[in-house]
């Protein structure tokens, strides 16, 4: 017989078993499982919410859906721009822009003149292409560094250091060749031999054979049957050619009047002119090489030299001075002038307008630029009145340059010369005391090209 206490315990245990008794350990286990399941639900729900509401804007979404279509959030344009500015994302419907490097500040340094190879005109700069598409990811050229960089803004590679070896001496030709200035009708009226020479010169010019073209046109110039109007057209044509062959840094192969020189240690323009025996002034070498400072030479630098000598023929009836290149006359002789006043073998270079002596006072004859007579900014005394003008006097009527003339044909014409003027209106008129006047820039060039004791000046009616 069981005790009362035992019977009660047995019934109680039986009751707990029937209602599902759970021990404290089991309860803790169940709570952990529930917590884990809840966390999993929260994580899954959070991911789902982010994917549907918090992700980046869908650039392919239709923001103007009709009502009833699901999966699209309708917002106004202002709201889209506001969201884009806050979230720093591209508004819907617009293509993303490629990220380009910031433009470099400053300007390109002044480059040395580029000289072309003979027969290879300088290539014009390539036209800029359209802005690249984002997916192409092209390289961009930095405007200063001239080296490729990526659109992501990477810094460009530094340019290669300058080489100490100078570029080889050029033998270039102009990018555009001068065409004949003569009208077709005028060319048809020219002598048959002249027409043939002009046609050959045109073909040579188109092939950048300017030395050959110049020679052909000079031959046509001395044709005795050529009309003066056509001869003037040939002078203009030759002037254009010589602007390249003589007065630019271009050195053409086979040109007898120019050459290329490489600077050596301790060189100067004065030393170079003396060493090469040039019959021109150093200022002409500075001019044709476009040198801003003649004292800044570097070893290996290529210079264009113009040899000379040059000569002048003045046509009083036309108020014109023609400049030629060629051998000097034999000492003490007046030469054998052709119809145009030039000598056999001389080559026409260009022409200048002049002023002459009042009442025909400029003497006719053959002269030599007097030895030691070339002056810059000279003082002058009027031989008629004795009035004196000091150097730098703005009222000095002979200007900044003077070249004295010495007769070589037995005439005693002294005191005449070529000079500038402070009266530009006197050019093309007879207003001087007998000298030949030129404009300020023209006399400066003539002064640089005519050599005293060497150059001939011939004055014709």
């Amino acid at each position: 017989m069981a005790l009362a206490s035992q019977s009660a315990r047995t019934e109680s245990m039986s009751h707990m078993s029937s209602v599902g008794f759970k021990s404290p350990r089991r309860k803790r286990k169940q709570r952990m499982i529930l917590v884990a399941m809840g966390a999993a639900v929260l994580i899954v729900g959070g991911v789902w919410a982010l994917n549907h509401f918090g992700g980046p804007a869908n650039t392919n979404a239709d923001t103007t859906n009709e009502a009833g279509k699901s999966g699209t959030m309708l917002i106004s344009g202002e709201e889209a721009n506001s969201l884009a500015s806050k979230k720093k994302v591209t508004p819907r419907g617009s293509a993303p822009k490629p990220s380009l490097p910031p433009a470099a500040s400053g300007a390109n340094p002044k480059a040395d003149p580029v000289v072309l190879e003979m027969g290879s005109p300088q290539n014009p700069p390539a036209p800029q292409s359209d802005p690249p598409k984002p997916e192409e990811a092209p390289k961009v050229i930095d405007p200063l560094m001239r080296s490729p960089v990526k659109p992501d803004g990477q810094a460009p590679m530094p340019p290669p250091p300058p080489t100490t070896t100078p570029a080889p001496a050029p033998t270039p030709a102009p990018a555009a060749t001068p065409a004949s200035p003569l009208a077709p009708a005028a060319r048809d009226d020219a002598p048959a031999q002249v027409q043939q020479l002009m046609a050959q010169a045109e073909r040579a010019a188109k092939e950048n054979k300017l030395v050959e073209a110049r020679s052909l046109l000079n031959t046509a110039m001395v044709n005795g049957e050529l009309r003066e109007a056509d001869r003037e057209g040939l002078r203009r044509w030759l002037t254009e050619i010589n602007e390249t062959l003589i007065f630019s840094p271009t050195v053409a192969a086979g040109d007898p009047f120019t050459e290329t020189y490489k600077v050596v240690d301790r060189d100067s323009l004065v030393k170079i002119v003396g060493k090469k025996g040039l019959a021109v002034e150093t200022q002409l070498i500075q001019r044709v090489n476009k040198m801003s400072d003649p004292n800044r030479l570097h070893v290996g630098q290529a210079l264009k030299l113009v040899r000379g000598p040059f000569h002048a023929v003045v046509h009083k009836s036309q108020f014109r001075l023609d400049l030629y290149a060629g051998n000097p006359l034999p000492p003490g002789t007046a030469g054998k002038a052709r119809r145009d006043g030039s000598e056999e073998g001389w080559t026409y270079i260009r022409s200048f307008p002049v002023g002459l002596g009042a009442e025909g006072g400029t003497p006719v004859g053959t002269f030599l630029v007097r030895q030691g007579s070339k002056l810059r900014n000279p003082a002058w005394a009027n031989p008629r009145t004795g009035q004196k003008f000091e150097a730098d006097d703005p009222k000095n009527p002979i200007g900044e340059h003077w070249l004295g003339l010495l007769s070589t044909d037995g005439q005693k014409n002294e005191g005449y010369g070529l000079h500038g003027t402070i009266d530009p209106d006197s050019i093309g008129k007879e207003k001087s005391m007998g000298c030949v006047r030129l404009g300020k820039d023209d006399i400066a060039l003539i002064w640089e090209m005519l050599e005293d004791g060497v150059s001939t000046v011939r004055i014709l009616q």
Side-chain angles (χ1 to χ4, degrees):
M1 183 172 110
L3 297 176
S5 60
Q6 291 178 338
S7 298
R9 180 179 180 86
T10 303
E11 291 175 1
S12 176
M13 294 180 65
S14 175
H15 175 74
M16 287 188 292
S17 176
S18 64
V19 298
F21 172 77
K22 296 179 182 178
S23 67
R25 178 179 295 178
R26 187 174 180 183
K27 289 180 180 181
R28 287 195 300 271
K29 185 176 182 180
Q30 288 179 346
R31 282 198 299 271
M32 292 175 64
I33 292 173
L34 290 175
V35 170
M37 291 178 62
V41 170
L42 289 176
I43 292 173
V44 172
V47 172
W48 181 86
L50 287 174
N51 288 337
H52 286 75
F53 300 104
N58 182 6
T59 57
N60 296 323
D62 181 8
T63 58
T64 59
N65 280 15
E66 296 178 3
K69 289 186 179 181
S70 61
T72 302
M73 180 172 61
L74 300 179
I75 61 175
S76 67
E78 293 182 358
E79 292 171 333
N81 293 335
S82 176
L83 288 173
S85 63
K86 291 179 181 179
K87 297 184 179 181
K88 298 189 183 298
V89 296
T90 304
R92 298 188 181 193
S94 63
K97 296 182 180 180
S99 174
L100 295 178
S105 61
N108 286 321
K110 186 176 180 181
D112 292 336
V114 178
V115 190
L116 313 177
E117 293 297 329
M118 173 61 73
S120 302
Q122 184 178 17
N123 294 326
Q128 294 183 351
S129 58
D130 294 333
K133 298 180 180 179
E135 63 272 16
E136 294 176 355
K139 293 182 178 180
V140 181
I141 300 299
D142 184 277
L144 283 182
M145 304 298 289
R146 293 296 182 192
S147 59
V149 295
K150 296 181 180 179
D152 58 5
Q154 267 187 313
M157 294 295 291
T163 58
T164 55
T165 304
T171 55
T177 54
S180 169
L182 301 183
R187 295 185 61 177
D188 291 342
D189 292 340
Q193 183 183 9
V194 172
Q195 292 186 40
Q196 183 180 3
L197 289 169
M198 287 192 295
Q200 293 173 356
E202 246 179 345
R203 287 195 295 269
K206 289 179 180 178
E207 297 173 2
N208 287 333
K209 299 177 181 178
L210 296 190
V211 176
E212 178 181 340
R214 181 177 62 188
S215 177
L216 291 166
L217 294 177
N218 268 278
T219 302
M221 279 264 289
V222 298
N223 187 289
E225 300 179 7
L226 191 65
R227 298 180 305 177
E228 180 56 31
D230 293 342
R231 188 172 282 108
E232 172 59 25
L234 292 177
R235 281 195 292 267
R236 292 197 305 269
W237 194 355
L238 282 164
T239 297
E240 293 178 15
I241 291 175
N242 285 313
E243 193 64 32
T244 295
L245 294 182
I246 301 296
F247 300 109
S248 81
T250 297
V251 179
D255 188 353
F257 308 124
T258 63
E259 62 179 288
T260 300
Y261 176 83
K262 286 191 177 181
V263 175
V264 299
D265 189 27
R266 301 182 184 278
D267 254 344
S268 67
L269 290 186
V270 173
K271 289 182 179 179
I272 293 170
V273 168
K275 180 167 50 176
K276 299 297 293 184
L278 306 181
V280 296
E281 298 293 334
T282 58
Q283 288 84 356
L284 181 65
I285 306 304
Q286 179 182 351
R287 179 192 295 267
V288 300
N289 287 279
K290 316 297 183 185
M291 300 171 64
S292 58
D293 185 353
N295 298 316
R296 298 184 64 181
L297 300 177
H298 59 265
V299 174
Q301 180 179 356
L303 295 177
K304 174 180 178 177
L305 303 184
V306 180
R307 296 192 183 101
F310 294 93
H311 314 279
V313 176
V314 177
H315 298 267
K316 292 179 60 176
S317 61
Q318 300 176 34
F319 294 92
R320 190 185 76 244
L321 182 153
D322 295 338
L323 187 68
Y324 291 86
N327 294 327
L329 299 183
T333 67
K336 297 179 180 179
R338 294 186 291 195
R339 182 176 179 180
D340 61 357
S342 67
E343 291 283 327
E344 185 74 30
W346 285 7
T347 298
Y348 174 85
I349 302 300
R350 61 164 298 180
S351 297
F352 304 86
V354 298
L356 302 170
E359 300 178 357
T362 300
V364 173
T366 301
F367 303 83
L368 190 69
V369 177
R370 186 188 295 271
Q371 185 73 42
S373 70
K374 292 180 65 175
L375 301 174
R376 296 177 67 184
N377 191 22
W380 182 72
N382 188 321
R384 297 178 181 176
T385 65
Q387 184 180 6
K388 295 182 180 181
F389 298 88
E390 300 297 330
D392 298 321
D393 186 343
K395 296 181 180 180
N396 189 335
I398 66 172
E400 298 292 326
H401 298 83
W402 168 268
L403 300 92
L405 299 180
L406 175 66
S407 176
T408 61
D409 54 10
Q411 300 186 38
K412 295 182 179 180
N413 293 314
E414 297 182 358
Y416 296 100
L418 309 178
H419 63 80
T421 180
I422 59 172
D423 180 13
D425 291 338
S426 66
I427 303 300
K429 301 176 183 177
E430 294 184 334
K431 295 184 67 174
S432 75
M433 296 183 185
C435 294
V436 178
R437 294 181 175 184
L438 293 99
K440 178 180 178 181
D441 295 334
D442 292 346
I443 188 59
L445 181 57
I446 290 291
W447 190 91
E448 294 169 7
M449 300 184 77
L450 297 186
E451 182 75 356
D452 54 349
V454 176
S455 294
T456 294
V457 177
R458 183 170 281 139
I459 301 177
L460 307 177
Q461 284 293 354

